[in-house]
Amino acid sequence: MKTYGSEPGAPEPVQVGISEFVVRGKESTETLKSYGLGSCLAIALYDPDSGIGGLAHVMLPDGDAADGADTQPGKYADTAIRAMLRRMVEKGAAYTSVEAKIAGGSDMFEFESFGDGVGNRNVAAAKEELGKLGVPIIGEDVGGQRGRTVEFDVGTGTLQIRTADGDRGVTEL
Amino acid sequence: MKLDITALGTFYDMAREGAGLAAGRLTRMTDVETRVGITKLNFMRGSEIRTEFEDGIPKVGVRVELSGGLDGHSLILFERDAALRVVSALVEEASADEFDDMSRSAATEVGQIMNAGFIDGWADVLGTAIDVSTPEFIEGETAEPFLGDLEEAPTDDDLALLFQSQIEAVDTEIGFKHYLFPEQESMADILDKHTDPDSQGIEYDKLAGFDEMAQQGAREVASNITTLTGIDTSVKIRRLKFASLAAIPQEIDDEMLVGVAHELDGTPSGYLLFLFDEASAREVVEATIPNPPDDEFGDLGKSAIKELGNIMASGFIDGWANVLDTTIDHSPPEYIHDYGAAVIDPVIIGLGENQDFAFVFDTVIKAEDREFDCSIYAIPDEADLERALNNLDIERIEDAQTTADFPIDEVENA
């Protein structure tokens, strides 16, 4: 079928919505993108040896304590990390060479119901789970009060972060 | 009719799956890669549905009547140009400008296959057969040809429950909308069968009444904005939707927004956000500060937006508090200037500890004579909302409607 309104060239990035995670295999040149993270957290896992990587866009910290993590592992930091790692290993990644980068987890509102910060809790939960699994965090851009849009290049393992705050421009991890 | 959250959640998931089935069938048929856009379970008044159709774009639809396990109508709607493109991809000799007999029948076929995708999804979940009538091909630019003759299409002031899904073709501008209009009685039976026996549920009439108060609150906010900025505004879109929390930020434009967020404390508790695009926020600052600063989003500008936020929050929730005979306090405004989705995701997370779905009272206020808009999102804590509505005396809504129009001078002096 003919296509209309499309330009030849770079493919559209694959969107990773809230509570989703996407894993791409060797030789993928795709970019995985999560728009407008506020207190949500983006977790990128990458095995530089095999070139297998994935991006999760998690909403809440603790899936082990929640109902429904079985059907939606990508919703929670702990279950998303385990599910993504498992899928990467199934695709041929070596568990011991996987590295992590995380971005997001801002706390933009000081509401009473947010306690010590919903973004902060997501960051802490991800760090704890990655620590338990022995996956090193080799880059992070977390916290603060600004939103972030992230793009993960599965070809190179680079995590590019844009903040709404114009002064900081684009950061690469 | 009683609305049970578990049942609504099941139907929401199912509508989303139905969209997936329909998208898959379209891909197989036309070889074009498709993606399922947003699925919504909306409660809309007839006037709102008509406004949505009346966007000046010619449309074609393929409509079927449903009976058996579910009574109502299912409608696949596409922009006329998009339908012609799909047809020309399927039938080489089809005209690219007009629907002749052949292209009409090809379009009907496509629409029918997609309708069947949605309906199969429903039949699966309901565990019953749904009978489908012969498809009708409809062309038009307003709601009238598509919905005018449907009994279940609501009159202007009636609140109807309907399912909407979007399917987009990747890398093209072809998009489809699906509408399912169930007959209320049939929907009530189905909800009844799928209700969680331990849950109280929400009376439909009470929710409709509560939504009327939100409508009134929205009008109040438009009037506040007009009074304080001199910009003539009115309520353009009003919706009550039931959506999964994860889907809520997806609907917000991926552009920079400026506004305020409030936490609500009372019955119901929840969150209330007022968001402007940057240009509109600049107008607010310029109109409300006597000597506007060069940087509209500096300290002076922020405090102007926050002050307007405070006034709008009171205007919006007073009607609810009155009708519920309760107090709903709003926190001081938290100023935000950020990407659309980032603005709302903290709120979604705040609610996400205890619920998967939320009722969202969604409003867009626009200026009459220029590009200026303000979006309002009121998202109550679901359990609180259920409690509040169960305690609601329906007669109070009728009383409140005649008395709650408090004069704007009170707001100005507040």
Side-chain angles (χ1 to χ4, degrees):
Chain A
M1 171 169 180
K2 282 184 283 183
T3 57
Y4 293 81
S6 59
E7 297 287 334
E12 287 270 305
V14 176
Q15 278 190 49
V16 184
I18 296 187
S19 301
E20 292 176 351
F21 68 88
V22 173
V23 170
R24 285 289 182 262
K26 285 175 206 170
E27 289 161 29
S28 170
T29 51
E30 272 179 315
T31 308
L32 310 178
K33 186 164 185 175
S34 286
Y35 287 97
L37 299 150
S39 301
C40 285
L41 185 69
I43 304 165
L45 297 183
Y46 189 62
D47 170 9
D49 299 335
S50 65
I52 294 168
L55 184 71
H57 182 165
V58 306
M59 174 174 157
L60 291 167
D62 191 354
D64 290 341
D67 297 334
D70 300 349
T71 51
Q72 265 194 304
K75 187 171 172 181
Y76 305 92
D78 53 353
T79 50
I81 290 169
R82 292 203 295 267
M84 194 157 57
L85 195 55
R86 198 175 313 124
R87 197 171 301 169
M88 284 170 63
V89 170
E90 281 164 11
K91 280 184 181 281
Y95 184 148
T96 48
S97 40
V98 174
E99 299 165 338
K101 294 174 182 174
I102 56 176
S106 290
D107 277 307
M108 21 246 293
F109 305 139
E110 287 172 12
F111 289 145
E112 255 179 54
S113 58
F114 286 4
D116 56 356
V118 286
N120 188 22
R121 287 204 292 273
N122 280 334
V123 174
K127 286 185 172 173
E128 190 187 331
E129 189 63 31
L130 290 167
K132 271 192 218 161
L133 296 167
V135 176
I137 299 175
I138 59 162
E140 64 174 71
D141 179 20
V142 295
Q145 294 190 307
R146 300 313 302 252
R148 295 169 174 90
T149 286
V150 303
E151 273 190 62
F152 182 55
D153 181 337
V154 189
T156 62
T158 308
L159 185 68
Q160 194 185 68
I161 301 147
R162 265 192 197 86
T163 48
D165 165 350
D167 304 341
R168 292 188 46 203
V170 181
T171 314
E172 276 196 0
L173 295 180
Chain B
M1 170 159 72
K2 273 230 168 185
L3 299 171
D4 174 76
I5 303 305
T6 315
L8 286 182
T10 308
F11 294 158
Y12 177 87
D13 286 340
M14 194 236 4
R16 202 164 44 182
E17 274 171 39
L21 278 178
R25 288 179 188 185
L26 180 66
T27 299
R28 277 201 296 281
M29 201 167 25
T30 60
D31 239 3
V32 72
E33 196 188 333
T34 53
R35 128 178 102 213
V36 179
I38 297 157
T39 293
K40 294 182 237 179
L41 194 173
N42 277 354
F43 298 86
M44 287 174 90
R45 286 169 213 285
S47 52
E48 294 152 7
I49 298 172
R50 285 180 188 93
T51 309
E52 193 171 292
F53 272 74
E54 275 152 35
D55 54 3
I57 297 170
K59 299 168 189 61
V60 299
V62 178
R63 191 177 79 176
V64 290
E65 186 174 359
L66 312 177
S67 55
L70 172 68
D71 297 339
H73 281 85
S74 171
L75 170 71
I76 291 282
L77 190 72
F78 17 179
E79 288 180 9
R80 189 174 178 279
D81 287 352
L84 284 166
R85 281 185 225 141
V86 170
V87 166
S88 67
L90 287 174
V91 186
E92 268 180 26
E93 58 271 37
S95 156
D97 311 310
E98 286 298 324
F99 280 100
D100 54 20
D101 284 350
M102 188 191 286
S103 54
R104 192 178 295 228
S105 99
T108 308
E109 176 77 17
V110 172
Q112 179 55 357
I113 287 170
M114 294 177 70
N115 265 324
F118 284 97
I119 296 159
D120 288 353
W122 275 95
D124 268 357
V125 168
L126 300 177
T128 58
I130 298 174
D131 301 322
V132 181
S133 73
T134 317
E136 281 174 84
F137 177 89
I138 305 169
E139 275 192 83
E141 249 182 74
T142 64
E144 191 53 32
F146 299 99
L147 312 174
D149 56 337
L150 298 193
E151 258 178 47
E152 63 271 30
T155 58
D156 274 2
D157 293 328
D158 267 353
L159 196 67
L161 182 160
L162 66 132
F163 294 84
Q164 285 175 296
S165 300
Q166 254 172 316
I167 294 173
E168 293 149 16
V170 177
D171 296 333
T172 77
E173 287 170 2
I174 298 172
F176 304 82
K177 282 185 181 167
H178 174 254
Y179 289 85
L180 179 78
F181 294 92
E183 276 177 20
Q184 189 159 333
E185 215 169 281
S186 168
M187 197 66 221
D189 284 349
I190 291 170
L191 275 164
D192 206 33
K193 280 186 201 132
H194 288 78
T195 291
D196 173 355
D198 298 331
S199 113
Q200 250 193 320
I202 293 177
E203 277 294 344
Y204 191 76
D205 292 347
K206 291 187 177 183
L207 186 68
F210 195 65
D211 184 60
E212 271 170 44
M213 298 313 295
Q215 193 168 20
Q216 196 165 306
R219 283 198 290 264
E220 191 57 42
V221 171
S223 145
N224 293 344
I225 294 176
T226 303
T227 307
L228 290 164
T229 63
I231 301 167
D232 194 11
T233 62
S234 62
V235 176
K236 280 290 172 244
I237 304 172
R238 267 274 316 129
R239 267 183 303 233
L240 167 57
K241 51 187 184 212
F242 180 80
S244 87
L245 290 177
I248 296 171
Q250 280 177 29
E251 275 201 63
I252 300 201
D253 283 344
D254 187 43
E255 59 168 349
M256 293 291 287
L257 298 176
V258 181
V260 290
H262 299 268
E263 183 177 27
L264 303 179
D265 185 18
T267 312
S269 64
Y271 303 94
L272 176 61
L273 289 91
F274 297 94
L275 304 172
F276 299 92
D277 58 53
E278 284 184 336
S280 302
R282 276 197 189 95
E283 283 210 51
V284 168
V285 173
E286 282 161 12
T288 50
I289 300 181
N291 297 306
D294 290 341
D295 174 10
E296 289 94 342
F297 305 130
D299 288 345
L300 267 179
K302 276 184 200 169
S303 62
I305 301 263
K306 280 160 85 169
E307 193 179 323
L308 177 62
N310 254 333
I311 294 169
M312 292 191 293
S314 304
F316 192 84
I317 58 181
D318 277 359
W320 276 354
N322 282 342
V323 81
L324 292 168
D325 198 17
T326 162
T327 42
I328 305 173
D329 293 324
H330 61 89
S331 70
E334 291 264 340
Y335 176 82
I336 28 181
H337 181 188
D338 217 309
Y339 296 124
V343 161
I344 207 160
D345 93 3
V347 164
I348 299 310
I349 295 173
L351 294 166
E353 302 273 358
N354 302 314
Q355 64 194 72
D356 293 321
F357 293 91
F359 285 100
V360 182
F361 295 82
D362 175 358
T363 305
V364 180
I365 290 171
K366 282 186 183 289
E368 297 300 336
D369 58 348
R370 62 183 119 170
E371 290 285 320
F372 173 93
D373 55 46
C374 172
S375 301
I376 311 173
Y377 296 90
I379 316 180
D381 175 278
E382 195 280 309
D384 272 0
L385 178 68
E386 199 166 321
R387 228 182 347 262
L389 289 181
N390 280 316
N391 294 332
L392 169 65
D393 176 358
I394 200 94
E395 282 174 14
R396 286 187 68 89
I397 295 171
E398 282 146 29
D399 293 346
Q401 274 163 2
T402 53
T403 57
D405 278 280
F406 54 93
I408 190 73
D409 320 352
E410 278 180 32
V411 177
E412 277 182 281
N413 299 330

